[in-house]
Amino acid sequence: MCDIRQDIAGKTKYDFQNPDALRVLTETLLKKDFQLDVQIPAGKLVPTLPNRLNYLLWLEDVVGALQLPDDQTVTGLDVGTGACAVYALLGSRRGWHMIGTERDPDSLEAARRNVQKNGLDNQVKVLEADGTLLTGPLRAAGPVHFTLCNPPFFDSDPADPEAPAPRRPPPPAASTGVLHEVSCPGGERAFVTQMIKESAALADRCRVFTTMLGHKSSVRPMKKAAYEAGAKEAIATELCQGWTKRWAIGWTFEEGLNLRENVKPTKQTKKRAPVQCVVPRDLDGIQYNVTEVKQHVVEWLQELKLEVEAGNCNKYYASYKVTAWEDTWTHRRRRLREERRAAAAAAGSTSDLAPSPASADLALSPQRAADTSAASDTSDLSCRTDDTDPAAGKRSRCDSGEPSAGAGAPPSAKRPCLESALGAVTLNERRRAPALVFTLFVQKRGPDILLMLQLFKGELGSEGVNGVLLFLKRKLESRLAVHTTTGGSGGGEGGAGTGLGGGESSEGQTVQDAAAQAAAAPVKTVSVSEGVSRAFNRLRTHMKQRLNLSPADSAGKTQQSASGRSESHVASGQPESEVGASKQDPAAAGEGST
Ligand SMILES: C[S@@+](CC[C@H](N)C(=O)[O-])C[C@H]1O[C@@H](n2cnc3c(N)ncnc32)[C@H](O)[C@@H]1O
């Protein structure tokens, strides 16, 4: 039952925020689509399958570029196979023979159990890591055609500049795994650099080395490191699946493989689908129709100092072009507090000045502050919008008559009034291009009203639109006439009906805590099997569309990779029949997996 929950609009959802639900889903999908009976110990990293399959599909192309003879068994090494041994097991379903390494004793044991349980001991070996990443295993068990790795992405040093940026909205799925599975000293760059260094002395033990990367910023430096280590070619690709983007690089010390020609990088070319949410009913003071909803949404966007330009509009539909010159929605409450403090300090040190609107706001009664603080920000402290006409974003003005930061004037001319009053140099003065441009749709669909945000451009990208959507969702939650009895306000923006004002409740509970509680608690009594099968169907449809892989495609790919040059660079020693059998296995051909 804990796997299924209802969102604020009453839609039933699989609970991707629950690590146990993720574990059960992955185990079930492996069983259903790949006939793999796997147990992932609680607390260990739960592999998300779409992302793993994506990497494997790219590896199929890499193997194809090797132009092996049909009867050659493909052999690969998975560095850091994890408790699930997911790549090794899925690789075996492609007909490959896999070696996995693991340094964590519990994961090592679990991985070996999973291999054994599936009767794959002849096809998959799991070795205990000896402190090296490639040298030990390739000397002991190689040679192989390729190596693969999903390294620990993050630096175990908390000062990691590559650690997930706090400005990101929370991931749609829970984070799983213990710290040492996902982090190491120096993060992925140190890990992969070590791998590249070792690979230089192992050119005779592996034809193509590859690894996944969790940060786009690591791709170039790692390719450069491969060339510096003597690689003849280094290639990269983007692995994009739903919300998550990863990258993979490959390098070879072999002349003439022509990886660049033979392994085309995949890149998401399709326009991203808009992010959306259903507007809940029973909102305090907002009638459930497009006209009312859009008006409030536009007001909320203007609180963020975003430019809102009205497009098409009728009773059932409204569209707006929304422009942000900087990220004003992330850590809004924290910024608000800091700015209030700064304003208070400034007011204190210039006591001869008349109180500013900001300091006046500071003097609000706690109740008044609670009513206004979450819904206000710097502009609320010192600026006021002229009106709330949806199309009037451009007409927003500060009291002083100076254009507000979100008010349509060129960025160089814009600054929040409070900052300008304090003589601060704003980000806007430095930025020439808008940080984010997106289209907002408020649309009636069936009985529901949807908010949809479609990214157009800007450096804040999809994280930016997700952040704005999160802000709008919290605004909506705060206006719910009837709150769940979880003690939270579902984000607490405005704190309507809850007594919550700014970022913290009277008990000191953070808004994030309250949101998490509100998201986690409401449970609808839907059977697990019903919910899981709905989730399967959605996932499978999604994967089919994304990977565009049919059994025929996959089989074709395998055949293609098996044709051509007959270079027996790698010792196989495996019976052909096994390989053939695996290739005909519908699961091996990707059936159902996508
Ligand atoms: C991000 S997890 C990936 C697990 C699995 N391959 C997957 O994709 O789900 C990284 C794994 O590498 C293992 N690891 C870290 N350092 C290692 C090393 N030096 N040798 C072998 N494994 C290592 C960790 O214990 C962890 O299981």
Side-chain angles (χ1 to χ4, degrees):
M1 293 292 180
C2 65
D3 300 347
I4 309 294
R5 70 179 168 87
Q6 245 184 342
D7 69 7
I8 57 166
K11 297 253 164 179
T12 304
K13 287 188 167 174
Y14 196 77
D15 190 357
F16 290 98
Q17 287 292 338
N18 178 344
D20 288 332
L22 289 184
R23 186 159 50 83
V24 170
L25 182 62
T26 296
E27 288 174 352
T28 316
L29 287 173
L30 283 170
K31 177 90 182 154
K32 190 164 192 304
D33 292 338
F34 297 94
Q35 294 77 53
L36 286 168
D37 193 359
V38 160
Q39 260 192 344
I40 305 165
K44 292 290 183 193
L45 184 75
V46 176
T48 46
L49 294 184
N51 163 290
R52 302 314 194 265
L53 289 169
N54 223 338
Y55 187 12
L56 285 172
L57 288 173
W58 180 73
L59 278 170
E60 272 195 353
D61 292 349
V62 170
V63 170
L66 302 180
Q67 302 192 336
L68 301 171
D70 285 355
D71 60 354
Q72 175 87 59
T73 302
V74 175
T75 311
L77 167 69
D78 174 18
V79 180
T81 199
C84 181
V86 64
Y87 285 117
L89 293 179
L90 288 174
S92 77
R93 287 294 188 239
R94 300 259 177 236
W96 299 340
H97 284 245
M98 299 294 301
I99 304 153
T101 66
E102 182 50 58
R103 68 155 188 199
D104 176 88
D106 296 335
S107 297
L108 180 73
E109 209 183 301
R112 283 180 169 157
R113 265 200 313 272
N114 283 328
V115 171
Q116 219 170 18
K117 219 172 169 188
N118 289 283
L120 289 167
D121 309 62
N122 289 334
Q123 222 175 324
V124 180
K125 300 261 178 275
V126 184
L127 307 177
E128 185 173 1
D130 65 350
T132 66
L133 295 173
L134 298 171
T135 314
L138 286 184
R139 294 267 174 247
V144 296
H145 292 99
F146 67 89
T147 65
L148 76 94
C149 177
N150 176 11
F153 294 149
F154 304 110
D155 193 339
S156 39
D157 169 5
D160 176 22
E162 299 281 24
R167 68 189 176 86
R168 287 185 183 178
S175 302
T176 60
V178 281
L179 203 62
H180 68 260
E181 287 182 291
V182 293
S183 67
C184 65
E188 64 183 9
R189 285 202 198 179
F191 197 92
V192 174
T193 303
Q194 176 62 31
M195 199 180 284
I196 290 169
K197 276 187 190 150
E198 289 185 31
S199 71
L202 296 163
D204 61 331
R205 310 295 286 175
C206 173
R207 295 186 66 184
V208 184
F209 300 88
T210 78
T211 185
M212 201 198 264
L213 292 168
H215 304 290
K216 191 178 182 185
S217 56
S218 301
V219 173
R220 253 178 208 225
M222 294 299 97
K223 273 176 74 180
K224 187 162 172 258
Y227 280 118
E228 282 168 2
K232 296 286 180 271
E233 259 189 299
I235 54 169
T237 191
E238 181 183 285
L239 307 170
C240 183
Q241 209 66 80
W243 294 78
T244 313
K245 255 191 201 176
R246 301 278 180 245
W247 293 264
I249 59 164
W251 64 100
T252 182
F253 297 94
E254 199 174 308
E255 289 280 8
L257 258 189
N258 213 358
L259 290 178
R260 261 191 302 263
E261 231 356 84
N262 293 324
V263 187
K264 292 288 179 215
T266 54
K267 196 155 173 31
Q268 193 182 39
T269 48
K270 274 191 210 151
K271 215 170 157 188
R272 272 181 183 264
V275 292
Q276 63 183 54
C277 76
V278 178
V279 176
R281 282 148 209 289
D282 301 329
L283 295 174
D284 238 357
I286 306 177
Q287 283 181 34
Y288 204 70
N289 61 52
V290 168
T291 312
E292 281 246 349
V293 170
K294 77 180 187 198
Q295 217 165 354
H296 283 83
V297 169
V298 168
E299 276 174 30
W300 294 333
L301 291 175
Q302 287 175 343
E303 278 174 18
L304 290 177
K305 295 177 278 181
L306 305 187
E307 289 179 15
V308 186
E309 235 174 89
N312 295 334
C313 189
N314 62 34
K315 203 171 149 189
Y316 304 104
Y317 170 90
S319 71
Y320 300 92
K321 180 183 169 196
V322 184
T323 305
W325 295 99
E326 62 179 308
D327 178 348
T328 50
W329 49 90
T330 307
H331 298 315
R332 234 170 112 252
R333 294 180 195 82
R334 190 193 298 168
R335 278 191 232 172
L336 177 64
R337 278 197 297 274
E338 283 165 6
E339 283 166 1
R340 279 174 165 169
R341 269 185 222 121
S349 64
T350 56
S351 52
D352 50 329
L353 295 176
S356 68
S359 55
D361 205 29
L362 283 172
L364 289 173
S365 71
Q367 187 51 51
R368 162 100 168 78
D371 291 343
T372 58
S373 64
S376 63
D377 58 9
T378 344
S379 64
D380 296 320
L381 297 176
S382 54
C383 305
R384 175 163 53 78
T385 53
D386 285 342
D387 62 52
T388 53
D389 177 353
K394 287 185 163 185
R395 299 203 296 276
S396 300
R397 292 287 182 273
C398 300
D399 285 344
S400 63
E402 197 178 279
S404 79
S412 57
K414 290 180 226 155
R415 63 178 71 170
C417 298
L418 179 62
E419 287 183 50
S420 68
L422 298 173
V425 179
T426 69
L427 265 180
N428 289 334
E429 286 172 334
R430 276 178 266 138
R431 188 171 284 144
R432 267 173 249 119
L436 184 68
V437 182
F438 64 88
T439 311
L440 163 74
F441 302 97
V442 182
Q443 191 176 346
K444 181 121 177 68
R445 192 178 289 170
D448 295 329
I449 295 176
L450 301 186
L451 294 187
M452 291 186 280
L453 278 62
Q454 170 80 63
L455 172 65
F456 177 52
K457 64 178 181 181
E459 64 181 24
L460 296 177
S462 50
E463 277 178 18
V465 277
N466 285 326
V468 176
L469 182 67
L470 192 69
F471 165 82
L472 292 175
K473 277 182 179 172
R474 286 183 174 163
K475 282 288 195 187
L476 289 167
E477 282 178 40
S478 74
R479 298 294 288 263
L480 275 176
V482 181
H483 286 277
T484 52
T485 54
T486 55
S489 70
E493 284 276 355
T498 66
L500 285 182
E504 296 184 358
S505 72
S506 51
E507 296 85 30
Q509 178 194 34
T510 65
V511 169
Q512 283 84 352
D513 289 343
Q517 271 189 27
V523 174
K524 190 183 177 187
T525 50
V526 175
S527 75
V528 171
S529 58
E530 189 189 337
V532 167
S533 78
R534 278 189 216 164
F536 282 159
N537 290 339
R538 275 206 304 276
L539 188 70
R540 217 172 287 116
T541 313
H542 174 74
M543 287 293 296
K544 272 190 178 135
Q545 286 164 351
R546 285 308 187 114
L547 297 185
N548 194 21
L549 179 87
S550 65
D553 289 343
S554 180
K557 267 190 174 182
T558 314
Q559 293 305 329
Q560 193 187 352
S561 71
S563 65
R565 211 173 70 179
S566 65
E567 184 177 331
S568 64
H569 181 91
V570 174
S572 141
Q574 301 298 335
E576 282 174 35
S577 57
E578 264 179 44
V579 180
S582 299
K583 276 179 186 164
Q584 277 146 32
D585 181 340
E591 186 179 290
S593 67
T594 56

